[in-house]
């Protein structure tokens, strides 16, 4: 019998409470999934049907191992499994267009395989997908149920809200509308999506059927608390999934010129300075035994790849969705496994969300690494967003014990560009003010001048 102190070490994840079939919990830093007795039949069939094996062989789902039932976190357990560890959990509103598109296509591919094995996805949430080794992978073992002839796809509406609606909005209206997924944690309401889509999108046969008419049907049934009674044959179900695949594959991002999408084309760096900066980054992180890094304001990943070449897995985050998408497309082309591009606005990264503000964690809790890299970023935070140096320093300590940061002085043309449209109310924006503020939270290990510019690189170590 497990001791009381051991039982108290169980921590059920705030995002894992909606499915009566089971839940995720952690114990001593390890992740487990409990399968409840109510989910036993579907779980057993998932294994015996060959679906799990097929998904595993194709690299579409996380691997798991069965552990002793004594590891259970609560009564009513049928089995306990230990899934493959996902180091960094990301959310759909942090993905670029192509990342969300690939996650959608993965979900549809899995649904087709499930049907072939006599099962169906009962859950098509985008939160069931994570990016590992440069590719999307499915993480929810309990999202499958035994297929019943004539039953419609239970997760159809959820797929449309989590994937098709935001992708259509990003394709025909504006990519920034991906941020609706921050507001609507259960997916973009179809009625809202159809209001925001232009007419040319709404008359497209696929979007007309799966979004516009779907939204109308959903509204007409909003007071009916039961599944539709209309029978759907297996062939029709497969046809619906095939149709969704064709629609999603044709969608392309609505790309407009963004402020930082072409940053490296307009920077005041000379080719020599760029090369020097890359060498300095390499020198400062070499022999530090860093395994993971978070590159904040990393644009399209140019300097993140300096870390990659040293074997450091790097999360490259930027506010510019075009730059992030370009980075992800490069990751796909080169089959890179040490890069994770993400869309993050540091001035408003998003706090705890969902029920009791505990379903989804803030970025600083999910993306903890060995080192934070912040190159050509400090002036955007301090001047564009009026953030004091000390506030910036304090926030960076939440991500990693080390910080590699570039200071960009007022004399720099990029800072002058920011100040050209506003009053200079930043008397402490200088190297002395920067160092004094950051010394409250960090120890300066090394400072290096970037030749050919007035900028400096600092390697800092957190005091706590």
């Amino acid at each position: 019998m497990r001791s009381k102190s051991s039982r108290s070490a169980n921590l059920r994840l705030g995002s894992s409470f909606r499915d009566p079939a089971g839940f995720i919990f952690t114990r001593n830093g390890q992740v487990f999934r409990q399968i409840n007795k109510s989910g036993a039949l579907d779980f057993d069939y998932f294994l015996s049907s060959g679906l799990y094996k097929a998904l595993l062989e194709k690299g579409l789902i996380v691997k798991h191992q069965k552990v002793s039932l004594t590891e259970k976190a609560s009564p009513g357990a049928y089995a306990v499994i230990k899934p493959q560890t996902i180091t960094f959990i990301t959310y759909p509103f942090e993905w670029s267009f192509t990342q969300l598109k690939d996650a959608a296509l993965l979900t549809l591919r899995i649904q087709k395989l499930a049907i072939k094995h006599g099962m169906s996805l009962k859950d098509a949430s985008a939160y069931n997908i994570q990016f590992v080794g440069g590719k999307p992978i499915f993480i929810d073992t309990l999202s499958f149920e035994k297929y019943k002839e004539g039953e419609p796809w239970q997760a159809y509406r959820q797929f449309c809200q989590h994937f098709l609606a935001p992708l259509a909005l990003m394709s025909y209206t504006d990519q920034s509308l991906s941020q609706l997924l921050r507001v609507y944690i259960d997916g973009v309401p179809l009625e809202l999506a159809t209001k925001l889509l232009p007419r040319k999108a709404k008359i497209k046969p696929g979007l007309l059927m799966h979004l516009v008419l779907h939204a109308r049907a959903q509204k007409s049934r909003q007071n009916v608390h039961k599944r539709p009674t209309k029978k759907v044959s297996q062939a029709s179900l497969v046809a619906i999934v095939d149709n969704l695949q064709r629609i999603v594959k044709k969608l392309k991002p609505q790309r407009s010129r963004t402020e930082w999408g072409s940053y490296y084309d307009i920077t005041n760096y000379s080719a020599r300075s760029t090369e020097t900066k890359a060498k300095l980054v390499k020198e400062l992180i070499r022999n530090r035994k860093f395994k993971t890094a978070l590159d904040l304001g990393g644009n399209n990943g140019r300097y993140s790849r300096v870390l990659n070449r040293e074997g450091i897995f790097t999360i490259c985050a930027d506010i510019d969705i075009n730059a992030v998408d370009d980075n992800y497309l490069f990751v796909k082309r080169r089959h890179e496994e040490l890069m994770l591009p993400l869309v993050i606005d540091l001035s408003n990264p998003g706090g705890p969300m969902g029920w009791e503000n505990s379903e989804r964690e803030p970025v600083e809790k999910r993306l903890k690494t060995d080192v934070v890299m912040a190159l050509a970023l400090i002036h955007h935070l301090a001047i564009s967003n009026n953030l004091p140096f000390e506030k910036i320093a304090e926030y960076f300590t939440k991500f990693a014990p080390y910080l590699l940061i570039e200071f960009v002085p007022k004399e720099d043309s990029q800072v002058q560009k920011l100040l050209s449209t506003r009053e200079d109310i930043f008397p402490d924006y200088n190297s002395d003010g920067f160092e004094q503020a950051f010394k409250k939270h960090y120890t300066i290990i090394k400072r290096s001048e970037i030749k050919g510019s007035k900028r400096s690189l600092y390697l800092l170590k957190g005091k706590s």
Side-chain angles (χ1 to χ4, degrees):
M1 181 179 292
R2 189 170 297 279
S3 68
K4 182 177 180 180
S5 61
S6 181
R7 284 198 303 271
S8 66
N10 297 329
L11 180 61
R12 185 165 173 167
L13 294 196
S15 60
S16 187
F17 69 92
R18 296 180 184 269
D19 188 357
F23 58 90
I24 291 283
F25 67 95
T26 62
R27 180 184 295 127
N28 300 325
Q30 296 190 74
V31 177
F32 298 88
R33 184 185 293 274
Q34 176 170 311
I35 293 90
N36 293 331
K37 290 177 182 177
S38 60
L41 291 178
D42 285 333
F43 177 69
D44 284 345
Y45 195 74
F46 174 64
L47 299 179
S48 63
S49 67
L51 177 57
Y52 171 62
K53 182 181 179 182
L55 294 172
L56 203 60
E57 288 176 348
K58 296 177 185 297
L60 305 181
I61 196 169
V62 294
K63 187 176 182 179
H64 73 253
Q65 64 181 64
K66 205 166 183 178
V67 298
S68 171
L69 192 58
T70 60
E71 297 289 346
K72 66 183 180 181
S74 67
Y78 170 73
V80 180
I81 60 175
K82 190 175 184 300
Q84 169 189 338
T85 300
I86 306 295
T87 307
F88 300 108
I89 298 296
T90 63
Y91 296 153
F93 53 82
E94 296 168 340
W95 303 341
S96 71
F97 176 88
T98 309
Q99 285 176 300
L100 186 62
K101 180 176 178 177
D102 283 354
L105 292 173
L106 173 67
T107 302
L108 294 172
R109 184 181 178 189
I110 288 174
Q111 171 64 356
K112 288 183 72 172
L113 278 169
I115 295 171
K116 286 183 180 179
H117 288 82
M119 300 201 82
S120 180
L121 277 174
K122 64 179 181 181
D123 183 357
S125 167
Y127 289 94
N128 288 341
I129 308 291
Q130 290 300 317
F131 284 83
V132 178
K135 297 181 290 186
I137 192 167
F138 198 80
I139 65 169
D140 192 352
T141 311
L142 292 180
S143 283
F144 302 89
E145 64 180 356
K146 194 170 182 179
Y147 170 71
K148 299 178 182 66
E149 182 63 40
E151 285 284 307
W153 184 20
Q154 181 180 338
Y156 169 59
R157 178 181 62 83
Q158 191 176 42
F159 176 85
C160 291
Q161 291 188 174
H162 278 246
F163 293 109
L164 187 58
L167 283 170
L169 290 170
M170 294 171 77
S171 182
Y172 287 98
T173 307
D174 194 284
Q175 286 196 79
S176 65
L177 291 178
S178 64
Q179 296 306 300
L180 285 173
L181 290 169
R182 287 175 62 169
V183 180
Y184 298 100
I185 196 169
D186 292 322
V188 180
L190 301 186
E191 187 177 7
L192 174 61
T194 58
K195 288 179 180 178
L196 295 174
L197 284 170
R199 185 177 182 277
K200 66 178 181 179
K202 289 188 279 191
I203 61 175
K204 295 280 184 181
L207 298 182
L208 174 65
M209 177 173 68
H210 296 294
L211 294 183
V212 181
L213 298 181
H214 189 174
R216 291 177 187 173
Q218 186 179 334
K219 187 176 182 179
S220 68
R221 296 194 306 265
Q222 62 186 355
N223 295 319
V224 180
H225 302 290
K226 61 180 181 179
R227 291 186 183 183
T229 56
K230 185 178 179 180
K231 299 293 183 180
V232 179
S233 68
Q234 182 171 319
S236 296
L237 188 58
V238 173
I240 290 171
V241 177
D242 284 339
N243 184 250
L244 286 168
Q245 281 183 318
R246 288 192 293 272
I247 295 167
V248 171
K249 284 180 180 179
K250 289 180 180 178
L251 292 174
K252 297 180 180 179
Q254 179 75 271
R255 292 181 73 97
S256 56
R257 182 174 176 81
T258 50
E259 186 176 4
W260 307 114
S262 56
Y263 178 76
Y264 290 125
D265 297 327
I266 61 173
T267 182
N268 60 352
Y269 276 138
S270 65
R272 180 187 174 191
S273 296
T274 300
E275 184 179 344
T276 300
K277 180 174 170 179
K279 286 182 178 179
L280 283 175
V281 168
K282 182 177 178 179
E283 290 172 6
L284 288 170
I285 57 95
R286 176 165 280 181
N287 300 323
R288 294 285 171 183
K289 298 182 179 179
F290 297 145
K291 294 182 179 179
T292 58
L294 173 60
D295 184 1
L296 297 173
N299 202 265
N300 61 16
R302 173 182 289 186
Y303 294 101
S304 290
R305 287 180 172 83
V306 174
L307 305 185
N308 289 165
R309 287 191 286 272
E310 297 299 310
I312 301 172
F313 180 91
T314 305
I315 303 164
C316 183
D318 200 274
I319 190 176
D320 191 290
I321 198 166
N322 286 340
V324 176
D325 207 47
D326 288 342
N327 192 5
Y328 178 66
L329 289 169
F330 195 86
V331 168
K332 288 184 66 177
R333 286 195 302 271
R334 298 292 186 93
H335 304 288
E336 295 179 340
E337 296 185 358
L338 296 178
M339 179 79 77
L340 175 57
L342 291 179
V343 179
I344 294 177
D345 177 0
L346 275 181
S347 66
N348 183 25
M353 299 182 300
W355 181 250
E356 293 184 325
N357 276 337
S358 63
E359 278 190 81
R360 309 299 171 194
E361 293 185 325
V363 64
E364 63 269 17
K365 285 193 174 182
R366 293 180 284 114
L367 305 184
K368 290 186 178 296
T369 59
D370 296 325
V371 60
V372 166
M373 185 163 70
L375 307 181
L377 177 65
I378 191 71
H379 52 305
H380 300 302
L381 296 177
I383 295 178
S384 298
N385 292 284
N386 284 36
L387 293 171
F389 282 146
E390 190 174 344
K391 280 284 187 183
I392 298 170
E394 182 181 13
Y395 188 56
F396 285 167
T397 62
K398 296 181 179 182
F399 292 98
Y402 286 87
L403 172 64
L404 179 59
I405 188 168
E406 177 179 10
F407 180 71
V408 184
K410 276 188 182 178
E411 296 81 6
D412 190 278
S413 64
Q414 293 299 317
V415 179
Q416 288 301 307
K417 181 180 177 182
L418 296 180
L419 291 172
S420 65
T421 57
R422 62 173 304 166
E423 181 184 356
D424 185 350
I425 56 171
F426 310 98
D428 296 326
Y429 188 92
N430 51 58
S431 58
D432 287 340
F434 168 80
E435 290 187 10
Q436 289 304 313
F438 273 73
K439 279 180 180 179
K440 294 178 181 179
H441 299 278
Y442 291 95
T443 299
I444 298 177
I445 297 176
K446 190 172 183 179
R447 172 183 174 178
S448 300
E449 302 292 332
I450 302 175
K451 293 180 180 179
S453 77
K454 297 181 182 296
R455 304 182 179 193
S456 303
L457 274 183
Y458 291 80
L459 179 62
L460 311 175
K461 183 179 180 180
K463 290 183 175 180
S464 58

